[in-house]
Amino acid sequence: MSEKSSDKSTTNNDISTATFETFETAWCPGCGDHIILTCLKRALTELGKNPHDVLIVAGIGQAAKTPQYISANAFCGLHGRALPAAVAAKIANEDLTVVVNSGDGDSYGEGGNHFIHNIRRNVDIAHFVHDNQIYGLTKGQASPTSQTGHVTGVQVNGNINIPLNPMLLALAMGAGFVARGFTGDPEQLVALMKQAILFKGYALLDILQPCVSFNKINTFTDYKSRVTPLPDNYDRSDLNLALKTAQIFDDKIPTGILYSVEKPTYHAQQAALADGKSLVKRPFKLSAVKNVMEKLV
Amino acid sequence: MSEKSSDKSTTNNDISTATFETFETAWCPGCGDHIILTCLKRALTELGKNPHDVLIVAGIGQAAKTPQYISANAFCGLHGRALPAAVAAKIANEDLTVVVNSGDGDSYGEGGNHFIHNIRRNVDIAHFVHDNQIYGLTKGQASPTSQTGHVTGVQVNGNINIPLNPMLLALAMGAGFVARGFTGDPEQLVALMKQAILFKGYALLDILQPCVSFNKINTFTDYKSRVTPLPDNYDRSDLNLALKTAQIFDDKIPTGILYSVEKPTYHAQQAALADGKSLVKRPFKLSAVKNVMEKLV
Amino acid sequence: MALNILIGGAAGQGIDTTAAILEQLLKHAGYYVYATRDFMSRVRGGHNFILIRFGPDRITSHSDRIDCLVALNEESVQLHASQLADKGFILCDSSIPTDDSRAIHIEMTNTAKDLGNPRVFGSVAIGALLRLLSLDLVHIAETLKRHVPSSALDLNITAAEQGYDMVAPRLSEPAGDYRHYLTVSGNQALALGALASDVRFYAAYPMSPSTGIMEFLAEHGKDCDIVVEQAEDEIAAINMALGASFTGVRAMTGTSGGGFCLMVEALGLSGIAEIPLVVCDVQRPGPGTGLPTRTEQSDLRFVISAAQGEFPRMVIALRDQQDAYEQTIRAFRLAERYRIPVIILSDQYLADTTSTVEPFMLTKSAAEREANDNQDLADTTPKTSAFDNGYRNYQLTEDGITPRVYPGHPNYFAAADSDEHDELGHITESPEVRHQMMNKRMRKLDKLKTELQEPRLIGSPKCKTLLLGWGSLMGPLEEAIALLEKDHPGQVSALVFGDIFPLPVGQLQALAPQAKRLVHVEQNATGQLASLIRESTGISCHSGILKYDGRQLSGEEIVSRLKGEIIHE
Amino acid sequence: MALNILIGGAAGQGIDTTAAILEQLLKHAGYYVYATRDFMSRVRGGHNFILIRFGPDRITSHSDRIDCLVALNEESVQLHASQLADKGFILCDSSIPTDDSRAIHIEMTNTAKDLGNPRVFGSVAIGALLRLLSLDLVHIAETLKRHVPSSALDLNITAAEQGYDMVAPRLSEPAGDYRHYLTVSGNQALALGALASDVRFYAAYPMSPSTGIMEFLAEHGKDCDIVVEQAEDEIAAINMALGASFTGVRAMTGTSGGGFCLMVEALGLSGIAEIPLVVCDVQRPGPGTGLPTRTEQSDLRFVISAAQGEFPRMVIALRDQQDAYEQTIRAFRLAERYRIPVIILSDQYLADTTSTVEPFMLTKSAAEREANDNQDLADTTPKTSAFDNGYRNYQLTEDGITPRVYPGHPNYFAAADSDEHDELGHITESPEVRHQMMNKRMRKLDKLKTELQEPRLIGSPKCKTLLLGWGSLMGPLEEAIALLEKDHPGQVSALVFGDIFPLPVGQLQALAPQAKRLVHVEQNATGQLASLIRESTGISCHSGILKYDGRQLSGEEIVSRLKGEIIHE
Ligand SMILES: Cc1ncc(C[n+]2csc(CCOP(=O)(O)OP(=O)(O)O)c2C)c(N)n1
Ligand SMILES: Cc1ncc(C[n+]2csc(CCOP(=O)(O)OP(=O)(O)O)c2C)c(N)n1
Ligand code: SF4
Ligand code: SF4
Ligand SMILES: [Mg+2]
Ligand SMILES: [Mg+2]
């Protein structure tokens, strides 16, 4: 796939997917994470991004190893804590393209509080959740999105928690861009990634990603039979339609952009960022600090 | 109010609001917390609860001082951490009536992750959020529910975060009971508290509570002019209606029960609790442990 | 004497199951078996191995010298052939290219394929290995039954039999009499201790290498009446444990260092609210995510002083599987007796090492409640109000210990408060009450100190060199002392701490003055035990043997480093 | 000499504003002013007070003996009248019933009512107090302007004038020359230090007594180009600070002990990922929620060993407002130079105490970057791939310090990794690389130790009794030594630590042997400095003066406890 996509490159920046290089991964053969990585490289390439201006941020988990496998700036932080680091990096240097790649456990479980509150901040980053409905790296416990009844080594009698619905949750928190993809449809996935990155504001892309080792229920075949792309005439600006669509997760799973409406971003509203220049590039303002001190006389 | 309600007591348990006693509080005169405390005592009294079987759990904040001011079992834990302690107490002793009283910052800010995930557990507790749209105890910074533009000592240019909508969020997480009250309507509030406590499963009651010291925008008068009780014929079982109603928070603020549909509770589904006897009251099963050990030979 | 098998392969090749079956077969043959695991933090690929030592006598350490290398892939041969002892051999599939003369190539893969299930190749290896070790196939069926799905049982037995016929006996080792002992890992022994203590609630968030505790308890949750709850994060886990404990059940949480970080604030809640709590930290190398599946002893100073402010706590380091069981029971007792948090420090080495252990003592007494923990308090003081009815949750007592009641008591209210409070549990700002409450809480340490357990002395008290260690290094130190006995009889001994905070100093202060050299042996970079000893006693070690690459010191490695770095000095 | 005013009242009565106005008026009159706050954790009611000491010379401690008691309610008279010095007086409203002969009743409330605004009663008191202190009203207008809304300015001036006319002069104190000095609290001085260091990002979650730092920075955010972000919790706050710091801006977070607990894991991330970080812990009494608005020095051992695993860090305790400014600047420098977390330990006493301070040195140099922090690295090694292009984020260097680049660099990639990693930042499981990386990180401490600042010695090096203290007790210790000079000249000195981890031991080891008595003076129950000293040097203190009721020791109290408990021994 990476070979093909480099031909597609529409930029004049001399950037190809190869620019983002391929590293040996530690993922299982057949894992959906491989597809996501490939699609990520394609999306960045097709958008003409210079790898040096791209920052991939992750927490800890299988999905969270993504930054290790791509030639770009990389921040592999703590389990559950990708978002705070990512939004702050973007706040400090808005010239970066900031993408978070992390797992469902990382993003919605340990990191749940950051998930809901960073939607509220609406910092212009893209958040790609590799949603395998399981904790992969720790060998198969239920994640927040695991389906009811899923039996694991901890949920020995089946998961009894109401599964977290990332689409509905993001909409309820006021997210401007809410989408779902599937590793079984890489063309759609690349398109979704590009739109999420281009979206001005926080963009959530939840990606159904089969875990071949620990999720024997939500397999590639299972997803394939349920996944239904949203129709072309779907109205992405209708919140109530989105709230209804988001509730569907049974024999049908809608994929595509459920909702997309831009709202004022963090950068547009934060007074200290008003002049539009990246914080990291501004000179020190000695005189302003002097003024502050003089007020204390 | 506490005098009146004791007359109303419908129980034969010899319990009156006075049973729950009155302590000197450290709250500001005029604070909505006083009303909530009074209503809580009335609700418990009218439900005929024996104070010794009631456990009030809180985090830290002004609202979270509630357990200090009522004769009942009290757990004043850490800021943001009321829910985990409360649900575990209920899991261990289902004979207790467990009520969480805490602030909007405590419940939705520091405690946000517990909020979303405990909805998923559906343990049978009532959660009363004293929502003053501000951090009271720390002297007036924006809380997750603070309105856009609210100027405070930290949000010096006005709050720029999208306000958290507790009703919408709880519905998105699958909560079975989602309601809003207001200290300006104590009769309704008592009724809502009683229904929340009686509801089998996790019940959220968000209470608009004016903070006279630090929230000069969302005052009693402001709320009074906006609050609109839901009509009698409102269909509490319609999730899409609830999702629509929950979006309303402007010149009108709907109060009452936005949604109420029982779902299987934690206790009904947790295999170890299947026999219905409180964990804390069960005898030790030496033979079962012996069996476990013998399997390792 | 003992033989040492190394089974090596990639993650996902099933070496864990193969090893578990072998361990059981060896124990059934009467051997003492000690198996350590060296795993990477990945699910497929990479290189993992398990070392299984067995023999007629007790074994307490792994060893890097191996007798049988069972190589499930080529890499295992390359990496481990050099560790082979003189008479050792390599057992591997015929497809693995190696010109090592010690290699015994057999048709594992093809046999399995011919049998119709490629996954039974491990059983072929097991069968062959048994023959090479001069053992029989008597227990093969009952053992395989416990590890493979019943549909695949017959096939696996056939595979083992075919493997058995492929080779001839090579080594033989006298057996012991351990048939009826347990095979138990540190995590399992700890979980068993919790079960024996009548734990009713365990909340945790998955984290290597502690997850095994949660999984073991969950497996038996329904039968033993424990709720095992997977929390949304570690903060929830510990606050849940406190909420449950507050109601009167015994409750516990477990994690590794990174998760423990998130529990720190609630540790203080346990301290000030005086809610009994048992927390287990199964250490792995830090800082940060570090090396998730490897071992280290570097959280000691952290857990001793974790949380703002000051409150009494106890830290017990587990030294082996036996200790894991007994000290967990003791942890529950002491947490309840003193109404304090007790931290159990384990580590990946102990957690994942399975050992042959005499069946644990299991009596009702471990589940019995402490004296201060009762619902039948005498109504001694007059009732002044519904709240102040004579019972005081934080009554100032001479030893600092206040009897507890639980919610639901017909006469009294239970109260817990994280703010400073008076005897009733009400918030106070009084300097006098604050002072008294601090003193009351800290006073508990005075009594606790009287029941500390002194470290275990291995070897003679009249040694020249005294090694100081703690926790899971006990086994390797024991082997080291035994090895040193040969060349240097009576010269080197070891003192190994289990109770580590507060530090019991009696034995140390008695032995230290006459030893010429004090050498601390630790799995960390800064010598945390040594600094704690200096802080507590003023005694300084002369040198240290430190290892912090994620791998445990073996008895042999301790000896060679002692000779290389210390004794020649 | 100095005079001491106590303004007491309930929360919500505006004593904070009244005090702020008075402090400024006194400084404008040339006095040195030192004001400490004693507040309850509530918004209305209860009892709060502020002590304002002023005089012609430097003042470094509060004192409990007062000269003027300004009582805004009856309770203040009851609680504080006994502290009055001989010639002292009580200024209160005529409605307050007291038969204390020292009471000066004036019509505060009624005057304010008559003026049409009951809230100006504080200005009546201010006016009266100025007269009682033999001062004039010259600066009243400009001062009030800074504290009251412009619409109420005239009314307040009139109120002050009327108050002024109600009384006659009673006390008088010579003035100094401090007119052009700053009035600054510990929190403000720290925040100013951060501004001078070119901090660009501050994330925090509100928590007493640290919130003032965030509020001060937020106030000036737009002008000084700092983003101040209120995080959803402390975990977010510190991870945000790390994310921002990673991009190359200077970043900081601040909290108190309870919030610090939640930051512990990310402290380790700073350590292993080598991302510079400044964290401030403004201590308050624990454990748990403890006493939220009061003071203590009980987080020392905690912050020194917080987080799993081992990594280099530095802890600096702030001793006064001057220190708060300078050491914050130094913290940013050292964090960047060594790519480590630097923890600033403050406490409520220092944070909330305002003092007269010489205007701080403010130059461009504090904002300049460290040498290792540059974007123009020579491309020394050959580029082997896009990722390995000669620059290595974690290159093994002799002193352990690796130059940093930021994301956006045209040739290199910036990488941060919480797993153990190789020089490029890629995950590794190699024992050798792990060992090297641990050594590289820990090696930074060797160089760091060479630039530690020795503790400040107050008094003669040839003393009999050497007091050992740290942090905000410096001021009270300074006053204590001055007081002791009178009766015991040259006998008692104090050594006060600012740099506290790693502990600079040179001065201590030089002075300790000749002192007869070593007495540690600390605001905690367990003697944390004493234990750290013993751990680091083997030196034991003979006794200690400890206070842990949430109130700071004054110079006078240190003297009396020294005489009572120690010297008579
Ligand atoms: C504080 C903390 N708690 C727990 C862990 C252990 N841990 C690592 S990854 C992980 C879950 C991974 O699940 P997910 O985020 O869904 O990623 P996946 O592996 O499925 O891609 C956990 C629990 C940790 N590293 N840190
Ligand atoms: C870990 C931690 N962080 C911060 C605080 C400080 N704190 C105490 S209460 C509070 C906010 C209270 O706001 P809310 O929950 O809305 O309650 P209110 O006072 O408004 O009733 C904060 C931030 C704390 N006690 N613990
Ligand atoms: S365990 Fe699952 S998620 Fe992890 S690499 Fe393997 S297949 Fe992918
Ligand atoms: S500060 Fe606000 S919330 Fe707190 S007691 Fe006063 S009015 Fe109530
Ligand atoms: Mg996952
Ligand atoms: Mg609030």
Side-chain angles (χ1 to χ4, degrees), chain A residues 27 31 33 59-65 78-81 102-110 130-139 141 143-145 209 211, chain C residues 205-208 211 233-234 255-262 284 288-289 292, chain D residues 265:
Chain A
W27 289 322
C31 174
D33 284 335
I60 293 294
Q62 296 283 22
K65 289 181 183 163
L78 298 172
H79 182 53
R81 317 304 169 191
S102 225
D104 46 331
D106 196 83
S107 299
Y108 307 137
E110 183 86 68
H130 304 212
D131 189 352
N132 53 11
Q133 301 190 257
I134 202 80
Y135 282 5
L137 191 62
T138 48
K139 306 203 167 178
Q141 302 78 28
S143 87
T145 55
Q209 170 246 321
C211 166
Chain C
Y205 187 80
M207 185 160 197
S208 308
T211 316
D233 55 31
E234 290 84 352
T255 183
S256 187
F260 192 89
C261 290
L262 296 162
R284 69 190 214 189
T289 309
Chain D
E265 192 190 8

Side-chain angles (χ1 to χ4, degrees), chain B residues 26-28 31-33 62 132 136-137 209-214, chain D residues 43:
Chain B
W27 290 321
C28 309
C31 174
D33 285 335
Q62 297 282 23
N132 53 13
L137 190 63
Q209 170 245 321
C211 166
V212 296
S213 292
F214 296 112
Chain D
V43 171

Side-chain angles (χ1 to χ4, degrees), chain B residues 18-19 21 23 50-55 59-60 65 67-79 81 83-93 96 113-115 117-118 121 266 270-275 278-286 288-297, chain C residues 24 27 146 179-184 188 192 195-196 198 200-201 216 220-233 235-236 239-240 242-244 246-249 265-266 269 275 359-360 362-364 367 385-387 407-419 425-427:
Chain B
T19 312
E21 259 192 89
F23 299 87
N50 178 336
H52 290 273
D53 297 327
V54 174
L55 170 62
I60 293 295
K65 289 181 182 163
Q68 298 270 335
Y69 306 143
I70 183 167
S71 283
N73 299 288
F75 188 103
C76 293
L78 297 172
H79 182 54
R81 317 301 170 191
L83 279 177
V87 301
K90 180 73 182 182
I91 289 172
N93 186 351
L96 297 175
N113 209 29
H114 314 308
F115 179 57
H117 289 287
N118 278 304
R121 285 192 180 94
Y266 183 93
Q270 163 64 258
L273 297 174
D275 81 0
S278 270
L279 269 186
V280 68
K281 293 173 185 165
R282 298 193 201 175
F284 174 53
K285 283 195 189 163
L286 184 65
V289 180
K290 271 215 170 93
N291 285 341
V292 173
M293 197 173 79
E294 271 153 21
K295 281 190 193 137
L296 296 169
V297 175
Chain C
Q24 204 147 14
K27 198 193 64 185
R146 290 164 69 167
R179 236 166 300 265
H180 302 294
Y181 274 40
L182 310 178
T183 301
V184 74
Q188 288 171 335
L192 266 177
L195 289 181
D198 194 20
R200 285 294 165 84
F201 186 84
F216 188 86
H220 306 292
K222 195 171 154 40
D223 293 342
C224 300
D225 282 0
I226 338 158
V227 170
V228 174
E229 185 60 21
Q230 180 177 319
E232 56 273 25
D233 55 31
I235 307 175
N239 281 283
M240 281 183 160
L242 285 169
F246 177 68
T247 69
V249 300
E265 192 189 8
L269 173 58
I275 304 171
F360 297 129
L362 190 57
T363 63
K364 265 194 158 12
S385 79
F387 210 94
H409 191 287
N411 301 320
Y412 311 124
F413 290 115
D417 195 357
S418 80
D419 275 284
H426 272 167
I427 291 184

Side-chain angles (χ1 to χ4, degrees), chain A residues 5-13 15 45-48 194:
Chain A
S5 65
S6 56
D7 311 340
K8 284 194 194 169
S9 173
T10 52
T11 73
N12 49 10
N13 271 346
I15 285 173
T45 305
E46 293 179 20
L47 290 172
K194 286 161 67 176

Side-chain angles (χ1 to χ4, degrees), chain B residues 34-56:
Chain B
H34 296 286
I35 316 277
I36 297 178
L37 177 62
T38 310
C39 290
L40 175 65
K41 291 178 185 172
R42 259 185 69 188
L44 291 169
T45 305
E46 292 178 22
L47 290 173
K49 295 287 178 190
N50 178 336
H52 290 273
D53 297 327
V54 174
L55 170 62
I56 315 286

